[in-house]
Amino acid sequence: GNSVTQMEGPVTLSEEAFLTINCTYTATGYPSLFWYVQYPGEGLQLLLKATKADDKGSNKGFEATYRKETTSFHLEKGSVQVSDSAVYFCALYPNAGNMLTFGGGTRLMVKP
Amino acid sequence: GAGVSQTPSNKVTEKGKYVELRCDPISGHTALYWYRQSLGQGPEFLIYFQGTGAADDSGLPNDRFFAVRPEGSVSTLKIQRTERGDSAVYLCASSKILGTGELFFGEGSRLTVL
């Protein structure tokens, strides 16, 4: 079956530090890959996506590249801010199916 | 409203009671999903609707769980004979187009079963 594995948190960084949150997946075929973010007190929202191999998704300074050879979709940001503190979820959407499968989430805490 | 609305935001009930959780999706969104999120975990799929019909209910844990969407808009998740293990945040999401993975989530209904 489909599954997503992401690094456990919490990840604690100082402001302006570089961020990487690892995500790997298992799926048949060629799924679309997503990062969703959950800010405190808010619902999950789409951060970025990539639909095919070597695509790079980007938004709000965050980036992730779809790597089929390593079945990975790691999230990166060059300089985090306190406002980036949230829980980040990696997810896949299979090309033959109709629901998102999520990883367990990684909590990011950014300190001033 | 502009977003997905879920009510109640919090529900505390006693073991064995019946619970209903409501979801009002974004207007015009034909696909509606229910997920369950336990503390410290990612959302787990329960069921999704395309229009009025349940297109896939393979994630419902047992027959105590049931969901309806009679007019293709508002949906209700129903849980009978609640158990303490049902305690979680129940998330609803909607999508304008089925097949994209781009879902709009509500803030969830937190259910606590005592």
Side-chain angles (χ1 to χ4, degrees), chain B residues 44-80:
Chain B
E44 295 179 316
F45 170 77
L46 295 177
I47 184 172
Y48 89 90
F49 292 85
Q50 177 62 15
T52 60
D56 187 333
D57 64 358
S58 61
L60 294 178
N62 51 60
D63 61 6
R64 295 187 296 106
F65 289 75
F66 189 70
V68 296
R69 195 186 185 197
E71 298 179 356
S73 178
V74 170
S75 176
T76 304
L77 179 66
K78 308 181 181 193
I79 310 173
Q80 299 177 319

Short mmCIF file of all heavy atoms in Angstrom, two decimals, chain B residues 44-80:
data_model
loop_
_atom_site.label_atom_id
_atom_site.label_comp_id
_atom_site.label_asym_id
_atom_site.label_seq_id
_atom_site.Cartn_x
_atom_site.Cartn_y
_atom_site.Cartn_z
N GLU B 44 -5.66 10.41 9.16
CA GLU B 44 -5.95 9.10 8.56
C GLU B 44 -7.29 9.17 7.85
O GLU B 44 -8.28 9.62 8.42
CB GLU B 44 -5.98 8.02 9.64
CG GLU B 44 -4.65 7.78 10.31
CD GLU B 44 -4.74 6.72 11.38
OE1 GLU B 44 -5.72 6.75 12.16
OE2 GLU B 44 -3.86 5.86 11.44
N PHE B 45 -7.30 8.69 6.62
CA PHE B 45 -8.50 8.74 5.79
C PHE B 45 -9.62 7.89 6.37
O PHE B 45 -9.40 6.76 6.83
CB PHE B 45 -8.15 8.23 4.39
CG PHE B 45 -9.33 7.99 3.50
CD1 PHE B 45 -9.99 9.05 2.91
CD2 PHE B 45 -9.79 6.70 3.27
CE1 PHE B 45 -11.08 8.83 2.09
CE2 PHE B 45 -10.87 6.47 2.46
CZ PHE B 45 -11.53 7.53 1.86
N LEU B 46 -10.83 8.44 6.34
CA LEU B 46 -12.02 7.69 6.76
C LEU B 46 -12.92 7.39 5.57
O LEU B 46 -13.23 6.23 5.27
CB LEU B 46 -12.80 8.48 7.80
CG LEU B 46 -12.12 8.73 9.14
CD1 LEU B 46 -13.00 9.59 10.03
CD2 LEU B 46 -11.80 7.41 9.84
N ILE B 47 -13.37 8.45 4.88
CA ILE B 47 -14.37 8.29 3.83
C ILE B 47 -14.34 9.51 2.94
O ILE B 47 -13.96 10.60 3.39
CB ILE B 47 -15.78 8.11 4.45
CG1 ILE B 47 -16.86 7.84 3.39
CG2 ILE B 47 -16.16 9.32 5.29
CD1 ILE B 47 -18.22 7.47 3.99
N TYR B 48 -14.71 9.32 1.65
CA TYR B 48 -14.92 10.50 0.83
C TYR B 48 -16.16 10.34 -0.03
O TYR B 48 -16.59 9.24 -0.37
CB TYR B 48 -13.68 10.87 0.01
CG TYR B 48 -13.57 10.25 -1.36
CD1 TYR B 48 -14.12 10.87 -2.48
CD2 TYR B 48 -12.89 9.06 -1.53
CE1 TYR B 48 -14.00 10.31 -3.72
CE2 TYR B 48 -12.76 8.49 -2.79
CZ TYR B 48 -13.31 9.11 -3.88
OH TYR B 48 -13.19 8.55 -5.11
N PHE B 49 -16.73 11.51 -0.35
CA PHE B 49 -17.93 11.60 -1.16
C PHE B 49 -17.63 12.34 -2.46
O PHE B 49 -16.90 13.32 -2.47
CB PHE B 49 -19.02 12.41 -0.43
CG PHE B 49 -19.57 11.74 0.78
CD1 PHE B 49 -18.94 11.86 2.02
CD2 PHE B 49 -20.74 11.00 0.71
CE1 PHE B 49 -19.44 11.25 3.15
CE2 PHE B 49 -21.27 10.39 1.84
CZ PHE B 49 -20.62 10.51 3.05
N GLN B 50 -18.21 11.85 -3.51
CA GLN B 50 -18.25 12.58 -4.76
C GLN B 50 -19.73 12.87 -5.00
O GLN B 50 -20.50 11.97 -5.36
CB GLN B 50 -17.65 11.76 -5.91
CG GLN B 50 -17.71 12.42 -7.26
CD GLN B 50 -16.94 13.72 -7.34
OE1 GLN B 50 -16.11 14.03 -6.49
NE2 GLN B 50 -17.18 14.48 -8.39
N GLY B 51 -20.13 14.10 -4.76
CA GLY B 51 -21.55 14.40 -4.80
C GLY B 51 -22.23 13.84 -3.57
O GLY B 51 -21.76 14.00 -2.45
N THR B 52 -23.33 13.13 -3.76
CA THR B 52 -24.10 12.60 -2.64
C THR B 52 -23.65 11.22 -2.20
O THR B 52 -23.92 10.80 -1.07
CB THR B 52 -25.60 12.52 -3.00
OG1 THR B 52 -25.74 11.65 -4.12
CG2 THR B 52 -26.16 13.89 -3.35
N GLY B 53 -22.96 10.51 -3.06
CA GLY B 53 -22.62 9.13 -2.76
C GLY B 53 -21.26 8.97 -2.13
O GLY B 53 -20.31 9.69 -2.47
N ALA B 54 -21.15 8.00 -1.23
CA ALA B 54 -19.85 7.68 -0.64
C ALA B 54 -19.06 6.87 -1.66
O ALA B 54 -19.36 5.71 -1.91
CB ALA B 54 -20.04 6.89 0.65
N ALA B 55 -18.02 7.50 -2.23
CA ALA B 55 -17.26 6.85 -3.27
C ALA B 55 -16.26 5.84 -2.71
O ALA B 55 -15.90 4.88 -3.37
CB ALA B 55 -16.53 7.89 -4.11
N ASP B 56 -15.80 6.09 -1.49
CA ASP B 56 -14.85 5.18 -0.85
C ASP B 56 -14.98 5.33 0.65
O ASP B 56 -14.71 6.40 1.18
CB ASP B 56 -13.42 5.51 -1.31
CG ASP B 56 -12.40 4.49 -0.82
OD1 ASP B 56 -12.62 3.85 0.23
OD2 ASP B 56 -11.36 4.35 -1.48
N ASP B 57 -15.43 4.28 1.33
CA ASP B 57 -15.56 4.32 2.79
C ASP B 57 -14.62 3.31 3.44
O ASP B 57 -14.86 2.87 4.57
CB ASP B 57 -17.00 4.09 3.22
CG ASP B 57 -17.51 2.70 2.85
OD1 ASP B 57 -16.73 1.95 2.21
OD2 ASP B 57 -18.66 2.39 3.19
N SER B 58 -13.55 2.98 2.74
CA SER B 58 -12.66 1.92 3.22
C SER B 58 -11.90 2.29 4.50
O SER B 58 -11.36 1.40 5.16
CB SER B 58 -11.65 1.56 2.12
OG SER B 58 -10.86 2.69 1.79
N GLY B 59 -11.86 3.55 4.85
CA GLY B 59 -11.14 3.97 6.04
C GLY B 59 -11.98 3.98 7.31
O GLY B 59 -11.43 4.15 8.41
N LEU B 60 -13.27 3.79 7.20
CA LEU B 60 -14.11 3.74 8.41
C LEU B 60 -13.68 2.54 9.26
O LEU B 60 -13.63 1.42 8.76
CB LEU B 60 -15.57 3.64 8.04
CG LEU B 60 -16.17 4.85 7.32
CD1 LEU B 60 -17.63 4.59 6.97
CD2 LEU B 60 -16.05 6.11 8.17
N PRO B 61 -13.39 2.75 10.54
CA PRO B 61 -12.79 1.68 11.34
C PRO B 61 -13.72 0.52 11.63
O PRO B 61 -13.26 -0.62 11.78
CB PRO B 61 -12.36 2.40 12.63
CG PRO B 61 -13.13 3.65 12.66
CD PRO B 61 -13.43 4.03 11.28
N ASN B 62 -15.00 0.77 11.74
CA ASN B 62 -15.97 -0.30 12.02
C ASN B 62 -17.37 0.23 11.75
O ASN B 62 -17.54 1.38 11.35
CB ASN B 62 -15.82 -0.79 13.47
CG ASN B 62 -15.86 0.36 14.46
OD1 ASN B 62 -16.85 1.09 14.52
ND2 ASN B 62 -14.78 0.53 15.21
N ASP B 63 -18.37 -0.63 11.99
CA ASP B 63 -19.73 -0.25 11.62
C ASP B 63 -20.37 0.72 12.61
O ASP B 63 -21.54 1.08 12.46
CB ASP B 63 -20.62 -1.49 11.43
CG ASP B 63 -20.72 -2.32 12.69
OD1 ASP B 63 -20.21 -1.89 13.76
OD2 ASP B 63 -21.32 -3.42 12.63
N ARG B 64 -19.63 1.17 13.62
CA ARG B 64 -20.18 2.22 14.49
C ARG B 64 -20.08 3.59 13.82
O ARG B 64 -20.72 4.54 14.27
CB ARG B 64 -19.43 2.24 15.82
CG ARG B 64 -19.59 0.99 16.66
CD ARG B 64 -18.95 1.17 18.04
NE ARG B 64 -17.50 1.37 17.95
CZ ARG B 64 -16.90 2.55 18.14
NH1 ARG B 64 -17.61 3.63 18.41
NH2 ARG B 64 -15.58 2.62 18.07
N PHE B 65 -19.27 3.67 12.78
CA PHE B 65 -19.04 4.93 12.07
C PHE B 65 -19.84 4.94 10.78
O PHE B 65 -19.83 3.96 10.02
CB PHE B 65 -17.56 5.10 11.74
CG PHE B 65 -16.68 5.38 12.92
CD1 PHE B 65 -16.35 4.39 13.83
CD2 PHE B 65 -16.18 6.66 13.14
CE1 PHE B 65 -15.54 4.66 14.92
CE2 PHE B 65 -15.36 6.94 14.22
CZ PHE B 65 -15.05 5.94 15.10
N PHE B 66 -20.49 6.08 10.54
CA PHE B 66 -21.28 6.21 9.33
C PHE B 66 -21.29 7.68 8.93
O PHE B 66 -21.23 8.55 9.79
CB PHE B 66 -22.71 5.72 9.59
CG PHE B 66 -23.55 5.62 8.36
CD1 PHE B 66 -23.31 4.63 7.41
CD2 PHE B 66 -24.60 6.50 8.13
CE1 PHE B 66 -24.08 4.53 6.27
CE2 PHE B 66 -25.37 6.41 6.99
CZ PHE B 66 -25.12 5.42 6.08
N ALA B 67 -21.33 7.96 7.65
CA ALA B 67 -21.37 9.35 7.20
C ALA B 67 -22.36 9.49 6.06
O ALA B 67 -22.55 8.56 5.27
CB ALA B 67 -19.99 9.83 6.75
N VAL B 68 -22.98 10.66 5.99
CA VAL B 68 -23.96 10.93 4.94
C VAL B 68 -23.71 12.31 4.35
O VAL B 68 -23.12 13.19 5.00
CB VAL B 68 -25.41 10.85 5.49
CG1 VAL B 68 -25.73 9.44 5.95
CG2 VAL B 68 -25.63 11.86 6.62
N ARG B 69 -24.21 12.48 3.15
CA ARG B 69 -24.15 13.77 2.46
C ARG B 69 -25.36 13.85 1.54
O ARG B 69 -25.25 13.79 0.33
CB ARG B 69 -22.85 13.88 1.66
CG ARG B 69 -22.52 15.29 1.21
CD ARG B 69 -21.30 15.31 0.30
NE ARG B 69 -20.91 16.67 -0.03
CZ ARG B 69 -20.12 16.98 -1.05
NH1 ARG B 69 -19.64 16.02 -1.84
NH2 ARG B 69 -19.79 18.23 -1.28
N PRO B 70 -26.54 13.97 2.11
CA PRO B 70 -27.79 13.73 1.38
C PRO B 70 -28.05 14.66 0.20
O PRO B 70 -28.70 14.25 -0.76
CB PRO B 70 -28.86 13.88 2.46
CG PRO B 70 -28.21 14.68 3.53
CD PRO B 70 -26.77 14.31 3.52
N GLU B 71 -27.56 15.90 0.27
CA GLU B 71 -27.85 16.83 -0.82
C GLU B 71 -26.59 17.26 -1.55
O GLU B 71 -26.61 18.23 -2.30
CB GLU B 71 -28.61 18.04 -0.27
CG GLU B 71 -29.96 17.66 0.33
CD GLU B 71 -30.71 18.85 0.91
OE1 GLU B 71 -30.14 19.96 0.91
OE2 GLU B 71 -31.85 18.66 1.35
N GLY B 72 -25.53 16.55 -1.32
CA GLY B 72 -24.30 16.85 -2.03
C GLY B 72 -23.54 18.05 -1.52
O GLY B 72 -22.59 18.49 -2.18
N SER B 73 -23.93 18.54 -0.34
CA SER B 73 -23.20 19.68 0.23
C SER B 73 -22.76 19.34 1.65
O SER B 73 -21.71 18.73 1.82
CB SER B 73 -24.07 20.93 0.20
OG SER B 73 -23.38 22.02 0.77
N VAL B 74 -23.59 19.67 2.63
CA VAL B 74 -23.25 19.40 4.03
C VAL B 74 -23.15 17.89 4.26
O VAL B 74 -23.92 17.10 3.71
CB VAL B 74 -24.32 20.00 4.95
CG1 VAL B 74 -24.14 19.54 6.38
CG2 VAL B 74 -24.29 21.53 4.86
N SER B 75 -22.19 17.52 5.10
CA SER B 75 -22.01 16.12 5.45
C SER B 75 -22.03 15.97 6.97
O SER B 75 -21.62 16.89 7.70
CB SER B 75 -20.69 15.59 4.91
OG SER B 75 -20.47 14.25 5.32
N THR B 76 -22.50 14.82 7.43
CA THR B 76 -22.52 14.51 8.85
C THR B 76 -21.82 13.19 9.07
O THR B 76 -22.14 12.19 8.40
CB THR B 76 -23.96 14.44 9.39
OG1 THR B 76 -24.65 15.66 9.10
CG2 THR B 76 -23.95 14.21 10.90
N LEU B 77 -20.88 13.18 10.00
CA LEU B 77 -20.22 11.95 10.44
C LEU B 77 -20.90 11.51 11.72
O LEU B 77 -21.02 12.31 12.67
CB LEU B 77 -18.73 12.19 10.66
CG LEU B 77 -17.91 11.00 11.16
CD1 LEU B 77 -17.86 9.89 10.11
CD2 LEU B 77 -16.49 11.44 11.53
N LYS B 78 -21.34 10.28 11.75
CA LYS B 78 -22.11 9.77 12.89
C LYS B 78 -21.34 8.64 13.54
O LYS B 78 -20.87 7.73 12.84
CB LYS B 78 -23.48 9.27 12.41
CG LYS B 78 -24.24 10.30 11.59
CD LYS B 78 -25.59 9.80 11.14
CE LYS B 78 -26.30 10.86 10.30
NZ LYS B 78 -27.74 10.55 10.11
N ILE B 79 -21.22 8.71 14.85
CA ILE B 79 -20.52 7.67 15.60
C ILE B 79 -21.46 7.14 16.67
O ILE B 79 -21.92 7.89 17.54
CB ILE B 79 -19.23 8.21 16.26
CG1 ILE B 79 -18.38 8.98 15.24
CG2 ILE B 79 -18.43 7.05 16.85
CD1 ILE B 79 -17.17 9.68 15.85
N GLN B 80 -21.73 5.85 16.60
CA GLN B 80 -22.61 5.20 17.58
C GLN B 80 -21.78 4.56 18.68
O GLN B 80 -20.63 4.17 18.47
CB GLN B 80 -23.45 4.13 16.89
CG GLN B 80 -24.36 4.67 15.80
CD GLN B 80 -25.13 3.55 15.10
OE1 GLN B 80 -24.58 2.50 14.83
NE2 GLN B 80 -26.39 3.79 14.83
#
